[in-house]
Amino acid sequence: MADTSAKRLLDSDKTGEPAPDVKRGKTDNENGREDGNESVQENVLSGFKTSSVLSDSAREKNIFIHGKVADQDAVVILEKTPIREDSLAELFSGSTLKLEMKNDIYSTYRLQAPPHLNEIKTTVVCPATEKHIKKYQRKESFLVEETEEDYKNITLPHIVKQSFSVQWVYNILEKKAEAERIVYEDPDPDVGFVLLPDFKWDQKQVDDLYLIAIAHQRDIKSLRDLTSEHVPLLQNIFQKGKEAILQRYNLPASKLRVYLHYQPSYYHLHVHFTKLGYDAPGCGVERAHLIADVIQNLQSNPQYYKTRTLYFPLRADDGLLSKFKEAGRL
């Protein structure tokens, strides 16, 4: 399944940095998070051999490629970076133009921007497992209807059997990794969390702002585990997350979309903070649940998400989808 997570991170997970600054992906991190190191490193892609294009999008200007680096399977994600307002003056004055067509008041050019304004955001996952490769392949999706009984009899056993690793999450919470990327932390063991940029955001502009709040509590897998007892935790994440983003990025709460995924891409409670207007992966109604709605639902019914029928998309190659088919639920 895909979400932060990376859902496209990522689902839809989209990430990266220019080739000379490529970072190696962590093998225990199914969401492909980066360590945030900005230093120039060896170009690990100089010997990259392409095997296949897993998927691409002209609209989102990205491409997901499977290949090998030093005989190890790797997934490379290339994505054009957004044009920043603060670079427009240099972009116009420092670029070269090649005329393609002119008709009355309309003209079309090929603009060659200075190299530092023409970066390609690049993420490398190496060594990549079969799960990583399948995650980024273009696949047909199906909308699944999951009742309370389906969760107990199909979904939960599948989660337990697969033993999806969240060690990379614990590394963040314990400051063993990505400590320098943390924007805000509330260390309280019951309602605390860490807030840090999602790997899909290059942090160069707020138009595509994307941060993740990861709860310190370790016994909450997903939306299904939430009860009214967790309302203080959710309220704390919601309120302090908004305050931290306002202070750090000068973006008010009215410009934020704050939500949880179901199904998530990793089974440890986390909340997504994205800029309203940014079409973030997994922000559609079939997967995203606004945290304000989640809080109100739990206040009205303490067992709301324990008993409610939930709907979510699964890709054709997802093992959970196979389980639903085997049970005659699809």
Side-chain angles (χ1 to χ4, degrees):
M1 281 173 274
D3 181 17
T4 213
S5 233
K7 211 226 186 283
R8 167 325 192 86
L9 296 201
L10 299 179
D11 14 282
S12 45
D13 295 311
K14 307 181 273 288
T15 62
E17 189 103 281
D21 298 320
V22 165
K23 290 90 174 174
R24 289 176 70 89
K26 299 178 182 179
T27 57
D28 64 344
N29 180 348
E30 297 303 330
N31 203 33
R33 298 186 64 89
E34 300 172 352
D35 62 8
N37 188 352
E38 293 292 335
S39 62
V40 176
Q41 299 182 14
E42 177 187 0
N43 181 4
V44 298
L45 294 181
S46 60
F48 181 77
K49 297 180 179 179
T50 300
S51 299
S52 64
V53 173
L54 300 175
S55 63
D56 60 7
S57 172
R59 177 176 177 270
E60 297 175 352
K61 296 178 176 59
N62 59 29
I63 186 169
F64 299 75
I65 309 157
H66 172 220
K68 287 187 179 293
V69 174
D71 294 325
Q72 289 186 311
D73 275 309
V75 173
V76 175
I77 306 167
L78 305 177
E79 179 181 9
K80 293 291 290 182
T81 56
I83 298 172
R84 305 198 311 274
E85 184 177 352
D86 60 4
S87 68
L88 291 179
E90 185 180 4
L91 183 66
F92 292 140
S93 63
S95 300
T96 58
L97 288 178
K98 181 179 180 181
L99 180 66
E100 289 193 329
M101 180 276 294
K102 184 173 179 62
N103 184 354
D104 192 30
I105 64 173
Y106 303 100
S107 53
T108 303
Y109 300 86
R110 287 284 180 178
L111 183 150
Q112 184 62 53
H116 66 284
L117 296 180
N118 196 29
E119 296 179 339
I120 296 179
K121 188 179 176 186
T122 305
T123 293
V124 178
V125 182
C126 181
T129 65
E130 185 65 23
K131 183 174 181 180
H132 289 114
I133 296 169
K134 287 184 177 180
K135 174 179 181 178
Y136 297 116
Q137 282 180 323
R138 184 186 293 109
K139 292 288 184 180
E140 186 178 10
S141 295
F142 299 85
L143 192 65
V144 172
E145 177 183 357
E146 179 192 78
T147 65
E148 177 185 6
E149 291 73 23
D150 290 334
Y151 178 73
K152 293 176 180 177
N153 300 326
I154 303 174
T155 305
L156 185 57
H158 175 74
I159 294 171
V160 173
K161 183 177 181 180
Q162 292 296 314
S163 299
F164 297 110
S165 173
V166 290
Q167 183 57 50
W168 66 273
V169 175
Y170 299 157
N171 289 342
I172 293 173
L173 295 176
E174 297 168 7
K175 311 296 194 308
K176 294 179 179 178
E178 306 188 49
E180 73 283 352
R181 300 181 70 243
I182 294 176
V183 171
Y184 174 84
E185 179 179 19
D186 180 340
D188 188 281
D190 296 320
V191 299
F193 64 99
V194 297
L195 181 70
L196 71 167
D198 185 88
F199 76 104
K200 289 180 280 294
W201 183 36
D202 63 13
Q203 302 179 63
K204 293 184 178 179
Q205 60 284 312
V206 297
D207 287 345
D208 56 345
L209 177 139
Y210 199 145
L211 295 102
I212 297 289
I214 303 176
H216 276 298
Q217 283 198 47
R218 300 191 180 190
D219 59 348
I220 310 172
K221 295 183 183 67
S222 71
L223 199 64
R224 281 290 191 191
D225 290 334
L226 294 174
T227 68
S228 58
E229 294 180 359
H230 300 113
V231 167
L233 167 63
L234 297 174
Q235 290 176 325
N236 192 53
I237 291 175
F238 191 27
Q239 184 59 36
K240 291 185 178 177
K242 291 186 294 184
E243 292 173 357
I245 290 172
L246 176 61
Q247 181 176 356
R248 181 69 173 266
Y249 305 107
N250 196 32
L251 199 64
S254 60
K255 294 289 187 178
L256 294 175
R257 180 195 295 116
V258 189
Y259 55 96
L260 296 83
H261 278 155
Y262 191 78
Q263 293 281 329
S265 61
Y266 55 96
Y267 292 94
H268 180 103
L269 182 68
H270 57 284
V271 177
H272 303 254
F273 288 77
T274 63
K275 186 177 185 295
L276 193 66
Y278 167 49
D279 188 18
C283 70
V285 296
E286 71 277 13
R287 190 169 180 213
H289 299 254
L290 292 176
I291 192 172
D293 290 339
V294 173
I295 291 171
Q296 290 186 28
N297 290 335
L298 292 173
Q299 288 173 330
S300 300
N301 179 358
Q303 301 294 314
Y304 186 89
Y305 291 102
K306 295 280 190 181
T307 59
R308 178 179 169 81
T309 295
L310 295 176
Y311 297 83
F312 52 86
L314 289 177
R315 299 196 329 170
D317 62 343
D318 197 302
L320 182 56
L321 183 68
S322 298
K323 297 299 181 182
F324 271 83
K325 288 182 177 179
E326 290 171 7
R329 294 291 291 124
L330 195 69

